Amino acid sequence: MSTAPSHYTRIALAEHLVDSVQDTQFTQQTGSISPIELDEVLVRIDFVQITAAFTDLMRADAEIPVPPYAVGDTVGGAAVGTVIASRSPSYVRGDLVLTIAGWSDHQVVAAQRLTKLDRDIVPSPAFYLNHGITAYHGMVDVVKAGKGDVVYVSGAAGGVGSLAGQIAKIRGATAVIGSAGTDEKVRYLIEELHFDEAFNYRNGDVVDQLSTAAPDGIDVFFDNVGGDQFEAAVQVANPGARFALCGAMSSQISKDRDAWPRLNLMTAITKNLSIFPFATYHTAEQIESWSVHFDRWLAEGTLVFPQTLLRGPITDAPQALRNLVAGRYRGNVALELEHRAH
């Protein structure tokens, strides 16, 4: 168990993101750790989350329903750590906790802002840093995918898509189809996550590839990308198909006009498509619904947890985000921190 350190290191926003993620948007800051007060806890951060949503929050004009980072704010979000000192009756040294520390290697936090975690129900504490709440809410509550459905997931090798497709499969979908940006990811979807079909959207016309994968059309579309993959889904959709619009990675990466999908209104009308843009607010009910199923499916072996686990100091987090946006990882991405003396 670590002794209490005297200093922390964090990664703060130096300037708002305008186009692509650059080194100039981050600054490394080191500060003294204040003595903990009553009902506070000192947490050593062991794992931090790396997700494309952080790029939205780095923009001054963020379009997701979460306040964007101000210049000087700590970048990042969810983190898992270990209590190394406590003045709260609810936590003792050694407890595993979830916190919204962002990219910091230590944090003093009010006890009521922590969530105690169980080390014994997951293979690694990093499993708690996943996008399952969003995937479950969209696939189950929004479009109600299940028996008889042919389901198409764009961005299927990412943190949300890799879970969303498996959730549809577990719920009895007739077929689950995924698209990704490399042949290696396509093999991963089929061989390891057990998608029925998958294709590389860079290898040809998306409408043609999706039509080949789903010759009888699709009933559910879970969209993480937008762009021409959304347009293709409209063309291949069956009458009455349901669309869950979760993300728009194409426009997150590029603000070019071609990154934004065009909705063929007449096709959508004549097919009677139901299009549900949704945001996940991580309510208590959403957290509970996902947690119960996640624990059970892991125990049963019916769910493969897709994850890229990186290792390094907290200062590696900005490069990890750049690599994620560039498509170099698959599944849920977390950085396991290597702690160095300050």
Side-chain angles (χ1 to χ4, degrees):
M1 182 68 64
S2 297
T3 57
S6 59
H7 292 77
Y8 67 88
T9 298
R10 71 182 184 110
I11 306 300
L13 186 70
E15 62 183 33
H16 284 112
L17 185 152
V18 176
D19 188 10
S20 59
V21 182
Q22 304 292 333
D23 286 340
T24 57
Q25 292 145 7
F26 304 97
T27 181
Q28 175 184 332
Q29 297 183 350
T30 300
S32 299
I33 295 177
S34 302
I36 59 175
E37 304 289 342
L38 185 64
D39 292 324
E40 287 186 336
V41 174
L42 173 59
V43 180
R44 182 196 68 216
I45 306 301
D46 300 321
F47 302 88
V48 296
Q49 189 174 41
I50 310 293
T51 175
F54 297 159
T55 63
D56 287 302
L57 296 175
M58 290 170 62
R59 299 181 186 275
D61 57 347
E63 297 176 342
I64 61 177
V66 178
Y69 306 128
V71 171
D73 284 352
T74 303
V75 178
V80 171
T82 301
V83 173
I84 57 176
S86 173
R87 293 193 61 193
S88 165
S90 301
Y91 294 94
V92 298
R93 185 176 170 86
D95 281 345
L96 186 71
V97 294
L98 178 70
T99 177
I100 310 299
W103 293 346
S104 178
D105 59 8
H106 291 84
Q107 183 188 46
V108 175
V109 58
Q112 64 266 28
R113 296 179 58 199
L114 296 173
T115 300
K116 189 176 295 187
L117 303 174
D118 189 338
R119 295 181 186 273
D120 297 329
I121 63 174
V122 290
S124 163
F127 275 47
Y128 285 110
L129 298 177
N130 67 72
H131 293 283
I133 297 171
T134 299
Y136 187 90
H137 175 57
M139 195 62 84
V140 176
D141 301 328
V142 177
V143 288
K144 299 177 173 58
K147 292 182 179 179
D149 286 328
V150 175
V151 178
Y152 168 43
V153 181
S154 66
V160 177
S162 55
L163 290 170
Q166 291 188 79
I167 291 168
K169 190 75 172 176
I170 292 169
R171 286 173 55 83
T174 298
V176 176
I177 301 157
S179 57
T182 69
D183 292 341
E184 184 275 333
K185 288 181 179 178
V186 168
R187 290 191 295 272
Y188 169 70
L189 291 173
I190 294 174
E191 296 173 4
E192 297 188 40
L193 301 190
H194 310 301
F195 280 56
D196 297 283
E197 299 283 348
F199 63 89
N200 182 343
Y201 66 85
R202 293 190 170 100
N203 281 352
D205 183 79
V206 179
V207 174
D208 291 344
Q209 293 193 82
L210 181 56
S211 297
T212 299
D216 297 321
I218 62 171
D219 306 297
V220 169
F221 177 41
F222 192 106
D223 190 17
N224 296 294
V225 176
D228 58 356
Q229 295 179 66
F230 172 88
E231 295 175 18
V234 171
Q235 296 303 314
V236 182
N238 289 325
R242 295 102 66 201
F243 284 34
L245 306 188
C246 178
M249 181 59 73
S250 61
S251 59
Q252 285 178 291
I253 296 173
S254 171
K255 292 299 183 182
D256 292 342
R257 183 183 298 272
D258 290 343
W260 300 91
R262 294 157 293 186
L263 174 60
N264 186 322
L265 289 175
M266 187 53 66
T267 300
I269 291 169
T270 57
K271 289 187 176 184
N272 194 29
L273 301 182
S274 296
I275 299 177
F276 303 103
F278 75 97
T280 306
Y281 292 96
H282 289 64
T283 64
E285 293 79 9
Q286 291 170 357
I287 294 171
E288 177 67 15
S289 293
W290 166 242
S291 297
V292 168
H293 288 90
F294 184 46
D295 294 347
R296 186 174 79 237
W297 291 338
L298 283 177
E300 294 171 348
T302 53
L303 181 80
V304 176
F305 182 59
Q307 183 184 60
T308 297
L309 183 59
L310 311 170
R311 290 179 175 84
I314 192 63
T315 49
D316 284 359
Q319 182 61 52
L321 180 61
R322 288 193 293 272
N323 290 344
L324 172 67
V325 173
R328 296 177 186 172
Y329 304 137
R330 61 192 190 188
N332 298 264
V333 182
L335 174 64
E336 181 177 5
L337 298 190
E338 295 176 350
H339 290 275
R340 299 173 180 176
H342 290 286

